[in-house]
Amino acid sequence: TTASPSFSCVWTNLSSGIKEDPKYGKPLGRSSHGLSYCANDKLFLYGGENIARTPLDPNQCQSSWILDVGKKQWKFVGKDDGQVGKSPSPRVAHAQAVHANGKDVYAFGGRAGITMSEQPLQDLWKFDMETETWTELQAEGDIPEARSFHKMLCCGDALYVFGGCGPSGRLADLHKYDIPTNTWTTLSKSHLLKGRGGPNFVALPHSKLGVIAGFAGEETNDGHIYNMDTQSWDETALDLKAMRPRSVCASGCMPSLSNSIVIFGGEVDPSDRGHEGAGGFENDLVIVDSDASQVVGALASGGSTTAWPESRGWSDAAIHPTKPQFYVFGGLTGDDENPKRLDDVWQCELSMEDSK
């Protein structure tokens, strides 16, 4: 018989043990933000909203933060000195990715306005974790349409941006930014997926990129794989029937867990009030195999005797590059009557055993 893996996980709520910044305290609860795992066991938290459709103002000391996981210490790094070009303008729903050097965090796009079509952004910034400074990258080439609720990955010395919501509607396009030459290139669109916001976008083995789920006018559980070597999309779409359709999850690919894809929570029932409200959310942990073809595990809080984060969407995950761990900060929970933006920090440690 073929061995099928059995997964288990332990969640730890780190929130209560973290020391606040002596001057600025701790980050506001937020959603539609970015979280990246960087060198020296540090997390970089940027952007988002504490009130629906209202970007966090860096002048209010609430935009960019570093969490030293080992020292359990928050540090505020987002104070804007008022000089144009020294830090990104306040935004929600940008895309964020960290280079393999663990030092450079890239942020692209997002939006500053209230509606999807109002003030979408297409600027590209780099945050240096060592100097704790932002640099705007005046990129050349075919710059992607302004957008929000898209996703971005860093693979080698290139950034890849997929989908999101732009002035022209929901997108299923793919773009590449070459870091050494500072140049954008438009790659082919997915010919099988509807345009979507809030997808899961993961780097897979064998030079492939995977798109899974997202909101395409409805919650989805389909997907599509792109081959970076051949610069082409697969001929067939993914159909992850075993996963409840969802969007705006916290997700990533875990190299230390046989390149399994982890997808935590997300919105499974859109709000009747749109972005003003809070729909139905999940807090399950779905595990997809490394070729993104099938769900191989699903862990839920029911029956769990240990701590487990509450249901949420519009959050973000930071994947540890060498350990089977990932981190989650905040997100949106509650319901239309009482939407709640969270400020909690969780660590999830996974293990896998082959079971005959």
Side-chain angles (χ1 to χ4, degrees):
T1 58
T2 304
S4 59
S6 173
F7 295 90
S8 60
C9 72
V10 175
W11 284 99
T12 305
N13 188 341
L14 304 178
S15 310
S16 59
I18 300 174
K19 299 183 285 289
E20 296 186 358
D21 183 294
K23 185 175 181 181
Y24 296 110
K26 64 178 184 177
L28 281 173
R30 64 187 67 193
S31 58
S32 304
H33 52 283
L35 187 71
S36 298
Y37 184 92
C38 302
N40 303 313
D41 212 19
K42 292 181 178 180
L43 301 179
F44 179 66
L45 170 68
Y46 170 64
E49 59 192 2
N50 176 256
I51 301 166
R53 304 182 181 281
T54 307
L56 291 160
D57 185 347
N59 288 312
Q60 302 303 313
C61 309
Q62 289 293 354
S63 186
S64 303
W65 294 81
I66 292 173
L67 172 59
D68 188 319
V69 177
K71 294 180 180 178
K72 299 182 178 178
Q73 176 73 56
W74 279 116
K75 181 179 183 181
F76 176 71
V77 292
K79 183 72 172 171
D80 188 354
D81 58 10
Q83 290 181 273
V84 175
K86 294 293 185 183
S87 64
S89 57
R91 65 194 60 205
V92 304
H94 69 290
Q96 182 171 313
V98 61
H99 191 279
N101 63 18
K103 180 177 81 77
D104 297 327
V105 183
Y106 295 87
F108 174 74
R111 59 187 169 93
I114 289 176
T115 67
M116 288 294 180
S117 60
E118 183 184 332
Q119 298 177 49
L121 302 164
Q122 59 184 159
D123 50 347
L124 178 64
W125 291 80
K126 180 178 75 173
F127 185 83
D128 186 318
M129 288 289 290
E130 292 179 356
T131 63
E132 298 178 0
T133 54
W134 285 102
T135 303
E136 184 172 8
L137 303 174
Q138 302 289 351
E140 300 175 355
D142 194 4
I143 297 172
E145 175 183 339
R147 66 191 63 208
S148 56
F149 298 108
H150 49 301
K151 288 292 182 179
M152 182 166 70
L153 296 169
C154 188
C155 301
D157 280 331
L159 302 174
Y160 290 85
V161 169
F162 175 82
C165 303
S168 66
R170 298 187 187 98
L171 304 165
D173 54 352
L174 183 64
H175 302 264
K176 177 183 178 180
Y177 170 77
D178 185 66
I179 295 170
T181 62
N182 190 37
T183 304
W184 283 104
T185 305
T186 299
L187 305 175
S188 57
K189 295 181 181 180
S190 168
H191 56 285
L192 298 177
L193 296 184
K194 292 180 180 178
R196 60 194 58 203
N200 303 290
F201 188 37
V202 292
L204 301 172
H206 312 300
S207 299
K208 294 183 178 181
L209 305 173
V211 177
I212 299 174
F215 187 78
E218 60 184 3
E219 310 290 357
T220 68
N221 58 0
D222 59 353
H224 207 182
I225 288 179
Y226 181 84
N227 188 313
M228 291 183 279
D229 289 340
T230 62
Q231 296 192 8
S232 62
W233 292 90
D234 279 3
E235 290 305 307
T236 56
L238 301 169
D239 185 4
L240 297 166
K241 289 188 175 71
M243 181 177 73
R244 186 175 179 184
R246 65 189 65 203
S247 62
V248 292
C249 317
S251 61
C253 186
M254 303 192 71
S256 60
L257 200 72
S258 298
N259 288 298
S260 299
I261 301 158
V262 291
I263 300 173
F264 169 67
E267 180 186 75
V268 291
D269 184 19
S271 168
D272 292 336
R273 294 179 58 199
H275 199 73
E276 296 292 334
F281 301 110
E282 259 289 4
N283 68 341
D284 58 347
L285 182 61
V286 178
I287 302 163
V288 179
D289 62 11
S290 61
D291 61 5
S293 64
Q294 63 177 331
V295 174
V296 291
L299 305 172
S301 59
S304 172
T305 57
T306 60
W308 197 282
E310 63 188 293
S311 298
R312 69 193 67 199
W314 315 91
S315 182
D316 200 18
I319 307 291
H320 196 293
T322 59
K323 297 179 182 178
Q325 298 172 345
F326 69 92
Y327 298 85
V328 172
F329 178 90
L332 178 65
T333 190
D335 54 32
D336 279 352
E337 299 304 314
N338 295 289
K340 179 185 177 186
R341 285 173 174 84
L342 301 164
D343 64 355
D344 49 353
V345 186
W346 289 84
Q347 180 195 71
C348 182
E349 183 146 6
L350 287 116
S351 57
M352 177 176 67
E353 296 177 9
D354 283 340
S355 54
K356 300 292 183 184

